[in-house]
Amino acid sequence: YHLDAQAMAEGRSEDVYQTFNVLMRRKQKENNFKAVLDSIRQLLTTPLVVPEWLHDVLLGYGDPAAASYSNLPPEQRVNEYDFFDTFLDLQHVRDAFPQANVVLKQPLPEGAPPPPPPYRLTIPPETPRASDAAAPAPATAPAAAPAAAPAAAEAAPAAALPTVVVEPYPALVAGPYPEDMPRMNAVRFTPMQVEALRAAMNPGLTLVVGPPGTGKTDTAVQMVSNIYHTFRQQRTLIITHSNQALNDVFEKLMARDIDERYLLRLGHGEELLETEKDFSKQGRVNYMLKRRLELLVKVETLGKTLNVPADVGYTCETAQYFYL
């Protein structure tokens, strides 16, 4: 190439590299060159990788509290949240927002049972954050109120509180088989944990601090699950200080309603996962190829049930005719 470039510079030859094309074909498990180039191009064309709300904090100046979602402008906050399976029931929603009125988007008929999760919530920006004072107090004998205490000093009127609107919706079921049912959350999160989940679904920096055994891992797993169901097109990167901590989070994510094809485990310690599945890069490709064959077998069974004489389970193109 150096000799050709020198000859072109001296005018002794033409640019021969514009006269032919090079076509390369790699194995399907190794064909990731285009994705790598797309990632590099996206990084080069992005004006600023670090978001504006984190720029000053990352450089070490400014108020660190300014990166909290509560201090961002109202137009940058999220008002509609898909909490999916965060709440176990409607009463759990009311317990998580003692600082607001919780109402259903569609009122229930008289005598009808409360709808089960999943829920979407509309939380106004003026809804205050949960605090320790909003958490349920321990069961103790109530103190006697002063006789001269004015009525306004009791509970705040319900009309003065912001309104949180709850919209139940049916969970998406992948198929008619029992293994296709969504795996729901079983942890009853406290108001402070729900506040952390709300902060994680907003732009801004969220910091969860607590002693061991206070549910930090469960809260982090629910954060990832909520972000996955709310922002389907975005990627989530989880970094921990040790392989064991990463495995703890990863194993709990495996038990949640997150499609297995979107889970990828990098770094050492993958062999310590309590599963026989391979979540490495190579294992994810093998999983997709295996999943393809399993779905084609189901399509072939469906074709035989409908008395279709053609071989509909041969390729994905023929199987697409059964997609509704």
Side-chain angles (χ1 to χ4, degrees), residues 10 13 76 98 122 137 142 145 173 175 191 227 285-286 292 301 306 314-315:
E10 297 174 356
S13 67
Q76 296 185 15
T122 302
V173 181
I227 293 175
V285 176
N286 293 333
R292 171 182 176 273
T301 304
L306 299 176
Y314 179 67
T315 64

Side-chain angles (χ1 to χ4, degrees), residues 9-315:
E10 297 174 356
R12 294 186 286 105
S13 67
E14 300 178 354
D15 186 3
V16 295
Y17 296 96
Q18 299 295 330
T19 61
F20 61 88
N21 296 324
V22 177
L23 177 63
M24 293 193 313
R25 181 168 182 173
R26 306 177 66 185
K27 296 180 180 180
Q28 56 181 352
K29 296 181 181 180
E30 302 173 355
N31 190 18
N32 57 0
F33 190 66
K34 182 177 183 299
V36 173
L37 286 181
D38 289 342
S39 300
I40 295 176
R41 181 178 60 182
Q42 183 179 3
L43 290 174
L44 292 176
T45 56
T46 302
L48 183 62
V49 179
V50 180
E52 294 183 0
W53 49 263
L54 186 59
H55 193 207
D56 291 348
V57 178
L58 188 63
L59 294 179
Y61 61 89
D63 184 11
S68 174
Y69 85 97
S70 59
N71 294 325
L72 296 179
E75 60 272 10
Q76 296 185 15
R77 305 182 199 174
V78 177
N79 295 333
E80 298 181 356
Y81 304 80
D82 187 353
F83 278 98
F84 192 62
D85 60 346
T86 299
F87 303 103
L88 304 184
D89 47 43
L90 189 59
Q91 184 59 40
H92 188 191
V93 182
R94 295 191 174 100
D95 295 340
F97 293 94
Q99 72 278 23
N101 291 324
V102 177
V103 298
L104 286 172
K105 187 175 183 179
Q106 297 293 338
L108 291 176
E110 185 176 357
Y119 299 129
R120 293 190 183 99
L121 269 63
T122 302
I123 306 177
E126 62 272 13
T127 304
R129 300 163 57 185
S131 61
D132 294 335
T140 57
E154 297 179 355
L161 299 177
T163 301
V164 174
V165 181
V166 181
E167 178 186 3
Y169 67 96
L172 182 63
V173 181
Y177 304 100
E179 60 270 17
D180 296 326
M181 298 300 295
R183 299 180 293 272
M184 308 297 281
N185 164 54
V187 179
R188 196 173 190 89
F189 293 104
T190 65
M192 290 299 296
Q193 291 172 330
V194 172
E195 171 60 28
L197 298 176
R198 175 188 175 189
M201 298 169 67
N202 272 279
L205 184 63
T206 303
L207 182 63
V208 179
V209 182
T214 54
K216 297 187 299 297
T217 302
D218 290 331
T219 303
V221 169
Q222 191 64 38
M223 287 178 178
V224 176
S225 177
N226 290 352
I227 293 175
Y228 165 77
H229 288 94
T230 305
F231 308 100
R232 292 280 188 173
Q233 303 300 323
Q234 296 188 12
R235 298 178 177 89
T236 304
L237 177 63
I238 304 175
I239 303 175
T240 62
H241 68 283
S242 66
N243 293 323
Q244 182 59 43
L246 181 59
N247 287 342
D248 291 342
V249 175
F250 198 89
E251 288 174 356
K252 291 189 176 184
L253 286 174
M254 291 164 48
R256 305 304 298 274
D257 187 44
I258 298 179
D259 198 328
E260 183 181 333
R261 58 180 170 169
Y262 298 123
L263 296 176
L264 174 62
R265 169 68 164 83
L266 300 177
H268 299 286
E270 180 195 353
E271 66 279 358
L272 301 178
L273 287 173
E274 295 183 0
T275 179
E276 297 179 355
K277 299 179 180 179
D278 185 5
F279 285 94
S280 63
K281 292 185 291 184
Q282 192 75 11
R284 294 300 82 202
V285 176
N286 293 333
Y287 167 79
M288 294 302 298
L289 297 177
K290 179 182 177 182
R291 180 65 174 166
R292 171 182 176 273
L293 296 178
E294 293 176 352
L295 294 178
L296 289 178
V297 170
K298 292 184 179 181
V299 172
E300 185 177 359
T301 304
L302 180 60
K304 293 180 180 179
T305 304
L306 299 176
N307 297 323
V308 178
D311 188 5
V312 295
Y314 179 67
T315 64

